[in-house]
């Protein structure tokens, strides 16, 4: 069964360092997302991406964050200068469309620890 | 703006008993509604969705959910709980019109099935 894959599974970084989280969405999906979850609690929307551009973003997704689809398969989230409060589990998701529900399929997550 | 409320942080049920996990939503128009399950240190897994039509939708692992437009609710149910159902459950909503891509998640309900 097709799945969303994420790397790395866990990354530890120093405050102020740049981090890139990588995702390979399901191949025929057109919409891509990043969410984050702090301490196993609420799942917070960061950004959605369609047709090679950001379509929606939350107030969390400030200038320190960026997303890119550098080739036909990868979808990356970059945090330019990490803060302690960026420590969280980051989930990539993809969907085939938005009609007929357009349910999201999630990866297993990348745990980011900022020291 | 779209939002979801899950009023119970935790639900405890004895194995073999029916379970209900509550969810209410708020959208400007008509919703797409979803339930997801998350096991420890895993990503979110899609369980079921409501698009339109029959108010009772069936999903994976014997779960079902009942859509009630007048009460703006979408409660998750299962006739007979299993210990293996113990997990974190998230209700989610996407507004149907306007081509919105963002899916908003509730705060999650921890289901504990007691042997």
């Amino acid at each position: 069964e097709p799945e969303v894959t994420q790397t790395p599974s866990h990354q530890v970084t120093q405050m102020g360092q740049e981090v890139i989280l990588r995702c390979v969405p399901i191949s025929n999906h057109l919409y891509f997302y990043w969410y984050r979850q702090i301490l196993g609690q609420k799942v917070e929307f960061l950004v959605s991406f369609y047709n090679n551009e950001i379509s929606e973003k939350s107030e969390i997704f400030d200038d320190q964050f960026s997303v890119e689809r550098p080739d036909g398969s990868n979808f990356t989230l970059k945090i330019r200068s990490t803060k302690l409060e960026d420590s969280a589990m980051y989930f990539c998701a993809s969907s085939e469309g938005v009609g007929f529900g357009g349910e999201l399929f999630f990866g297993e997550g990348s745990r980011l620890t900022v020291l | 703006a779209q939002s979801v409320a899950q009023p119970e942080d935790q639900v405890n049920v004895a194995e073999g008993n029916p379970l209900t996990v509550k969810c209410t939503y708020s959208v400007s128009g008509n919703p797409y509604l979803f339930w997801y399950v998350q096991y420890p240190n895993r990503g979110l897994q899609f369980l079921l969705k409501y698009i339109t039509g029959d108010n009772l939708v069936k999903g994976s692992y014997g779960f079902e959910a009942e859509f009630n437009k007048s009460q703006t609710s979408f409660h998750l149910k299962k006739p007979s709980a299993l210990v293996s159902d113990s997990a974190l459950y998230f209700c989610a909503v996407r507004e149907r019109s306007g081509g919105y891509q963002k899916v908003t998640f509730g705060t999650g309900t921890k289901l504990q099935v007691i042997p």
Side-chain angles (χ1 to χ4, degrees):
Chain A
E1 185 173 321
E3 59 181 22
V4 176
T5 57
Q6 291 186 241
T7 55
S9 56
H10 189 193
Q11 179 151 1
V12 181
T13 190
Q14 295 292 324
M15 190 169 55
Q17 295 297 304
E18 177 183 282
V19 162
I20 297 176
L21 306 179
R22 292 181 169 80
C23 169
V24 179
I26 295 172
S27 61
N28 65 331
H29 284 188
L30 301 176
Y31 297 82
F32 314 115
Y33 308 80
W34 284 100
Y35 283 80
R36 77 175 185 188
Q37 185 180 36
I38 297 175
L39 294 177
Q41 300 300 317
K42 184 174 183 176
V43 176
E44 299 176 300
F45 171 77
L46 293 177
V47 66
S48 61
F49 191 88
Y50 170 70
N51 201 26
N52 272 326
E53 61 183 20
I54 291 173
S55 44
E56 293 178 74
K57 62 182 181 179
S58 72
E59 60 277 5
I60 302 169
F61 195 88
D62 61 20
D63 291 344
Q64 294 299 314
F65 290 87
S66 62
V67 289
E68 193 177 39
R69 189 156 161 83
D71 53 41
S73 59
N74 289 284
F75 179 52
T76 62
L77 174 69
K78 182 191 290 186
I79 308 175
R80 188 174 306 124
S81 178
T82 50
K83 306 182 185 72
L84 295 176
E85 55 265 36
D86 293 328
S87 295
M89 182 72 92
Y90 289 81
F91 290 106
C92 175
S94 66
S95 68
E96 194 171 359
V98 293
F100 298 102
E103 61 270 26
L104 274 57
F105 292 86
F106 284 82
E108 293 294 319
S110 293
R111 182 175 299 281
L112 176 64
T113 302
V114 183
L115 302 177
Chain B
Q2 56 191 30
S3 66
V4 172
Q6 293 182 242
E8 303 152 318
D9 289 336
Q10 182 159 334
V11 169
N12 297 321
V13 63
E15 186 177 24
N17 282 3
L19 69 88
T20 299
V21 182
K22 295 179 180 176
C23 169
T24 58
Y25 67 90
S26 175
V27 293
S28 300
N30 292 312
Y32 293 126
L33 293 158
F34 311 89
W35 276 101
Y36 285 80
V37 60
Q38 185 181 33
Y39 297 100
N41 300 310
R42 302 295 301 276
L44 280 73
Q45 294 179 35
F46 169 73
L47 277 180
L48 52 80
K49 66 180 175 183
Y50 171 80
I51 303 174
T52 187
D54 195 349
N55 289 342
L56 186 65
V57 295
K58 296 187 183 297
S60 307
Y61 313 119
F63 284 94
E64 57 192 27
E66 186 168 12
F67 172 67
N68 186 317
K69 186 171 183 178
S70 63
Q71 296 184 8
T72 61
S73 66
F74 189 57
H75 300 332
L76 181 70
K77 300 172 187 283
K78 188 174 182 182
S80 178
L82 300 172
V83 173
S84 57
D85 292 331
S86 297
L88 191 55
Y89 289 81
F90 290 95
C91 183
V93 66
R94 169 191 273 139
E95 184 152 352
R96 186 192 298 268
S97 61
Y100 293 105
Q101 295 158 32
K102 171 183 173 180
V103 175
T104 299
F105 287 81
T107 50
T109 298
K110 183 178 180 180
L111 175 66
Q112 191 80 24
V113 181
I114 302 159

